Amino acid sequence: MRLATLRDGSRDGALVVIHPSGTLYAPTSEIAPTLQAALDAWPNAEPRLRALAETLARDPERGTPLDVADLAAPLPRAYEWVDGSAYPNHVRLVRKARGAEPPRDLLETPLVYQGGSGVMLPPTAPLELPEPTWGLDFEAEIAVVLGDVPQGTQAAQAGKHVRLLMLANDATYRDLVPGELARGFGFFQSKPATAFSPFAVTPDELGTAYQGGRVHLRLQTKLNDVLVGDVDAGPEMHFSFFDLIAHITKTRGFVAGTILGSGTVSNAAPERGVSCLVERRARESIELGAPQTAYLRSGDRVRIEMSDETGRSVFGAIEQVVR
Amino acid sequence: MRLATLRDGSRDGALVVIHPSGTLYAPTSEIAPTLQAALDAWPNAEPRLRALAETLARDPERGTPLDVADLAAPLPRAYEWVDGSAYPNHVRLVRKARGAEPPRDLLETPLVYQGGSGVMLPPTAPLELPEPTWGLDFEAEIAVVLGDVPQGTQAAQAGKHVRLLMLANDATYRDLVPGELARGFGFFQSKPATAFSPFAVTPDELGTAYQGGRVHLRLQTKLNDVLVGDVDAGPEMHFSFFDLIAHITKTRGFVAGTILGSGTVSNAAPERGVSCLVERRARESIELGAPQTAYLRSGDRVRIEMSDETGRSVFGAIEQVVR
C-alpha cells in the first residue's frame, strides 16, 4: 500500500491511497483524515486503508488524477525526526573533507542526531538558499515511519514497529556545520527543513528488497538531469533500521509518527557516485588536493528516486529546485 | 490565563482552564479539545478561552476540583522541543566539571540543542533511572510555547510569537554526555524525556516580572524537601527568549506548539544554589578537588516551582520521584 498527503490548506493535509500506477488517488477521509490519525490508530486503520487501496486498484475509475505538485510531505508536521548516519563510508568521507576524525567507535555504536520535525517539506518544495555562502548540499536518504516504540526495544523486536518507508532529502548548509559542531551541541542552523518523497509505502511494497531492516535497491540522485548517484542502499548500511531503533530507544520511548532516517546512502566504490555533493568534494580533495565541485546554486535541480526490480518508482520522486 | 491538560486516555489529553486559586478547572472542549488545537487556531481560540477563564473566576461553582496527579504535560506530544543554554554560568560550570572548554563565542551566539518532543512527561511522572551508572540529574528551566514563527524572525519582532510559559525539568544522564558529545552529533541518549509544570500560562500572568523575553522571578528547586536552588531567572539570562527565537529561525521556520527552553537557570553567586546537581559538583571539584554530591538515587524527590511577588505558585510544581 502506498499513501500520500494532499495539500488542502490544513496543517496536516488530507490522506490519500495511491493507485498502483502512481497516477491516481482516492481520499481516505472516512477511515482517517490524516496520516498521523492513521498512525495513531494503525491496527484499526491499516486494514481499512488496504481495503480501499484494493478497491481503487480493481476499479481505477474511482480514482482522481494525481498531480505531485499538490502533495505535501506524507507527514507535513511530525513529532520527531531522528536521523542516523548508518553508512560508514559517508561519515569517513565527510569528516575527512572537514579535517575531522570519524568517531573511534563508528562501527560499534550508531551516530544519530535529532532534527527539526515541525516543518516537513513537500517533494517539490524549493530548496532554499537565502545566503550562498552557507554551502547548500542535498543528502539522499531512506526514512522509516514508526509506530509507538517502547523504551528498551531490542533490534530483534524492532521490525514490527516499522509502519512505512519514504525517501528524504535532508538538506544541509555545509559551511555552517564546522562552527556549529565545534560548539558541542550538534547540528541546528546547519539543517534546514527536510523534504520527503511523494509516497510513504508499507514494507510489503518493497517485497524481498526489504530485508533485516535494510532496503536492497539503488537510490538514484540526479543533479540538473545528470545521474550523480546510483547507490546501493543495502549492503553498506552498517546499522540496519532495527539497530537504529534499538539505539534510539535506550533511554526513552517514541510515539507513532516518529520518522527515523538512514543518513546519506553511500557506497565505498566511487563508480556508484554520491548521494550528496560533499562526498564528491571529499574525493576530489583526496585525489586532487582541493574540492572542484561547487555546492548548489540558484536554479540547480535535484531529483531523488528509487526504482524496484520492475522499474517502478517505489516512492515517487523528490524534485527540488534551488532558489 | 492558566491552562492545563487532563489525562483522559487520549494521546493529547483534554485542555482545561484553571481557576485563579489553582485548585479548580473547567473543560474547554467546546472551544478547543486540546492545547495543540488551541495553538493551531490561537487568534480565534484565545479570546474564547479567556472568556471561559473569567467566567470560572467569577463563579467557582462551575469548577471541578483539580488533582495535579491527573495532569499530563500541557503538550503531551509536541512538534519540536528546542532547548537553549542561555545562562553562561551554567555552561562554564558544567564544562569545567567535565574538563571541557566553553565555546569561545559563548556570549555572542546562543547554544541550543534539538530535543525529543514525542513524549513529554506530566509534572508528577517518575524520574526514570534504569541504570544507576548513567548519573541522573535534574535541570530546572523555563520554557515558552511558540505560535507559528517564520524563518528569519528578528529578536525585536519575536515577542508576539510567545504564546505561553511553563517550567521544565530537562533531566540528563550526565555520565552518558561526554561519550555522546565526543562523537560530534550532540545529545541523544543522554537526554531522556522532559517533564513540564502543571500549568502553561499566558505572559500577562507574570505581570511586570516578564520583561524583554526574560522572567524576573526566582526558580526554586527542592531535593528531598531541602531547598537547593533559589535562583533568579532574570538578570543572568544572557540571551533572552527573543534572542533565542532569532537564533533558531535563522535557517527554518517553526510551527505553533514548538517548545523553546531557557536551559538550566543559573546564578554566579553560590549562595543562590543550583538548578541542577552538576553545578554543585563542579563547584565542589573546584573548591575541594573532587565532587562530593552524588547524582540522583532511587527514591529521591525533586520539586521545581516558581512563585510571584504575591507568593502564588505561577506554574504549579513539578514533583518527581526517582525510580
Side-chain angles (χ1 to χ4, degrees):
Chain A
M1 172 169 63
R2 298 196 290 176
L3 301 168
T5 295
L6 276 182
R7 288 195 272 190
D8 66 351
S10 72
R11 290 178 180 269
D12 295 303
L15 182 64
V16 298
V17 297
I18 301 295
H19 184 264
S21 66
T23 62
L24 299 168
Y25 70 87
T28 66
S29 47
E30 286 178 29
I31 302 165
T34 68
L35 181 51
Q36 184 64 51
L39 291 162
D40 284 348
W42 193 249
N44 180 269
E46 186 199 10
R48 299 174 65 202
L49 291 170
R50 283 189 185 274
L52 177 63
E54 282 157 23
T55 304
L56 177 64
R58 274 196 311 271
D59 187 1
E61 301 218 339
R62 291 171 179 246
T64 305
L66 175 68
D67 182 347
V68 172
D70 293 336
L71 292 181
L75 286 168
R77 51 180 182 173
Y79 289 107
E80 306 216 21
W81 160 228
V82 180
D83 198 12
S85 195
Y87 296 84
N89 188 62
H90 173 73
V91 181
R92 290 194 190 104
L93 281 175
V94 172
R95 299 251 174 155
K96 191 170 278 185
R98 63 167 193 261
E101 289 292 315
R104 276 180 225 176
D105 55 354
L106 179 65
L107 300 180
E108 285 115 66
T109 308
L111 269 173
V112 300
Y113 83 92
Q114 184 95 33
S117 55
V119 177
M120 301 310 231
L121 298 179
T124 57
L127 268 168
E128 301 284 355
L129 183 55
E131 175 54 60
T133 62
W134 291 352
L136 177 63
D137 197 2
F138 54 86
E139 290 196 4
E141 307 195 359
I142 301 167
V144 294
V145 181
L146 304 178
D148 294 297
V149 192
Q151 191 200 327
T153 297
Q154 300 299 305
Q157 273 70 52
K160 64 177 180 284
H161 301 296
V162 174
R163 299 279 185 252
L164 299 164
L165 294 102
M166 309 184 288
L167 303 181
N169 180 11
D170 186 48
T172 302
Y173 295 126
R174 295 286 177 203
D175 291 335
L176 299 185
V177 170
E180 206 157 57
L181 295 199
R183 307 180 86 230
F185 272 30
F187 306 100
F188 197 91
Q189 293 178 332
S190 50
K191 290 287 186 182
T194 301
F196 291 88
S197 54
F199 310 143
V201 314
T202 49
D204 58 286
E205 285 283 332
L206 292 158
T208 56
Y210 179 65
Q211 276 185 21
R214 294 177 179 85
V215 177
H216 291 267
L217 292 173
R218 286 200 184 155
L219 184 62
Q220 298 198 316
T221 304
K222 287 182 178 169
L223 175 58
N224 299 325
D225 301 324
V226 176
L227 187 70
V228 295
D230 187 19
V231 179
D232 194 333
E236 294 184 50
M237 188 180 185
H238 183 74
F239 298 105
S240 72
F241 280 113
F242 304 162
D243 297 327
L244 295 177
I245 290 169
H247 180 78
I248 68 172
T249 59
K250 179 174 172 178
T251 61
R252 57 189 168 99
F254 292 81
V255 293
T258 295
I259 305 174
L260 174 63
S262 67
T264 308
V265 177
S266 178
N267 286 175
E271 60 270 26
R272 295 254 63 83
V274 295
S275 305
C276 66
L277 291 176
V278 77
E279 285 191 22
R280 183 190 272 188
R281 288 168 56 94
R283 291 191 194 279
E284 290 165 348
S285 293
I286 295 161
E287 288 161 22
L288 308 168
Q292 313 293 310
T293 301
Y295 287 124
L296 295 171
R297 285 175 279 221
S298 185
D300 279 346
R301 285 170 288 116
V302 177
R303 183 184 170 97
I304 297 168
E305 200 166 15
M306 182 175 256
S307 299
D308 65 14
E309 298 86 345
T310 70
R312 179 187 66 146
S313 176
V314 182
F315 304 96
I318 296 174
E319 286 197 275
Q320 299 186 272
V321 180
V322 180
R323 75 167 182 199
Chain B
M1 175 169 62
R2 298 195 290 177
L3 301 168
T5 295
L6 275 182
R7 289 195 271 190
D8 66 351
S10 71
R11 290 178 180 269
D12 295 304
L15 182 63
V16 298
V17 296
I18 301 295
H19 184 264
S21 65
T23 62
L24 299 169
Y25 70 86
T28 66
S29 46
E30 286 178 27
I31 302 165
T34 68
L35 181 51
Q36 185 63 52
L39 291 161
D40 284 349
W42 193 248
N44 179 270
E46 186 199 10
R48 299 173 65 202
L49 291 170
R50 283 188 185 276
L52 176 63
E54 282 156 24
T55 304
L56 177 63
R58 273 196 312 271
D59 187 2
E61 300 217 341
R62 289 172 180 245
T64 304
L66 175 68
D67 182 347
V68 171
D70 294 336
L71 293 180
L75 286 167
R77 50 180 182 174
Y79 290 108
E80 306 216 20
W81 160 229
V82 181
D83 198 12
S85 195
Y87 296 84
N89 187 63
H90 173 73
V91 181
R92 290 194 190 104
L93 280 175
V94 172
R95 299 250 174 156
K96 192 171 277 185
R98 62 168 195 260
E101 289 291 315
R104 277 181 225 174
D105 55 355
L106 179 65
L107 300 181
E108 286 116 65
T109 308
L111 268 173
V112 300
Y113 82 92
Q114 184 95 33
S117 55
V119 177
M120 301 311 231
L121 298 178
T124 56
L127 268 168
E128 301 283 355
L129 183 56
E131 176 53 60
T133 61
W134 291 352
L136 176 62
D137 197 2
F138 54 87
E139 290 196 3
E141 308 194 357
I142 301 167
V144 295
V145 181
L146 304 177
D148 294 297
V149 192
Q151 191 199 328
T153 297
Q154 301 299 305
Q157 273 70 53
K160 64 177 181 283
H161 301 297
V162 174
R163 298 278 186 253
L164 300 164
L165 294 102
M166 308 183 288
L167 303 182
N169 180 12
D170 186 48
T172 303
Y173 295 126
R174 295 287 176 203
D175 292 334
L176 299 185
V177 170
E180 206 156 57
L181 295 199
R183 307 180 86 229
F185 272 29
F187 305 101
F188 196 91
Q189 293 178 333
S190 50
K191 291 286 186 183
T194 301
F196 291 88
S197 54
F199 310 144
V201 313
T202 48
D204 58 285
E205 285 284 332
L206 292 158
T208 56
Y210 180 65
Q211 276 184 23
R214 293 178 180 85
V215 177
H216 291 268
L217 292 173
R218 286 200 184 156
L219 184 62
Q220 297 199 315
T221 303
K222 287 182 179 169
L223 175 59
N224 299 326
D225 301 322
V226 176
L227 187 70
V228 295
D230 187 20
V231 179
D232 194 335
E236 295 183 50
M237 189 181 185
H238 183 75
F239 298 104
S240 72
F241 280 112
F242 304 162
D243 297 326
L244 295 177
I245 290 169
H247 179 80
I248 68 172
T249 60
K250 179 174 172 178
T251 61
R252 57 189 169 98
F254 291 82
V255 292
T258 295
I259 304 174
L260 174 62
S262 66
T264 308
V265 177
S266 179
N267 286 174
E271 61 270 25
R272 295 256 61 85
V274 296
S275 304
C276 66
L277 291 176
V278 77
E279 285 192 23
R280 183 190 273 188
R281 288 167 56 94
R283 291 192 195 278
E284 291 166 347
S285 294
I286 294 161
E287 287 162 24
L288 308 170
Q292 313 293 311
T293 301
Y295 286 124
L296 295 172
R297 285 175 279 220
S298 185
D300 280 346
R301 285 169 290 116
V302 176
R303 182 184 170 98
I304 298 167
E305 200 165 15
M306 182 174 256
S307 300
D308 64 14
E309 298 87 342
T310 70
R312 182 187 64 147
S313 176
V314 181
F315 304 96
I318 296 173
E319 286 197 273
Q320 297 185 273
V321 180
V322 179
R323 74 168 183 198

